[in-house]
Amino acid sequence: EAPRPRLCCCFCISLRSRRPPRDLAYGVCQAGCASVVVACYSAAGVAFGTMLAAAAPPAIVACNAGQGACYAACAAIALAPAP
């Protein structure tokens, strides 16, 4: 028997949780940043997580800088005062 996907279950649980919407927004933001950096690496012809920083071409350095800026924006969401 094939393993059952767990992503859907985790997503459904998160929708039913009593967590503040800000926490869910932070998680969605983090997931978005991760998907964008993987796409950026792919566009540069590199698999994400396989490049050493010392050997990174300028395109990968730019992807990493973008990832850092994206995660900083997510942190601003998480650290914002609660309404």
Side-chain angles (χ1 to χ4, degrees):
E1 182 177 324
R4 296 180 187 172
R6 295 178 188 198
L7 177 63
C8 181
C9 293
C10 293
F11 181 70
C12 293
I13 290 169
S14 71
L15 288 178
R16 294 182 47 136
S17 75
R18 299 197 188 279
R19 302 293 303 175
R22 180 181 61 194
D23 290 352
L24 296 176
Y26 175 71
V28 169
C29 185
Q30 290 280 312
C33 291
S35 62
V36 169
V37 75
V38 169
C40 185
Y41 267 63
S42 180
V46 178
F48 182 72
T50 61
M51 177 72 56
L52 294 175
I60 299 302
V61 172
C63 291
N64 290 342
Q67 180 186 24
C70 189
Y71 284 144
C74 293
I77 292 170
L79 298 174

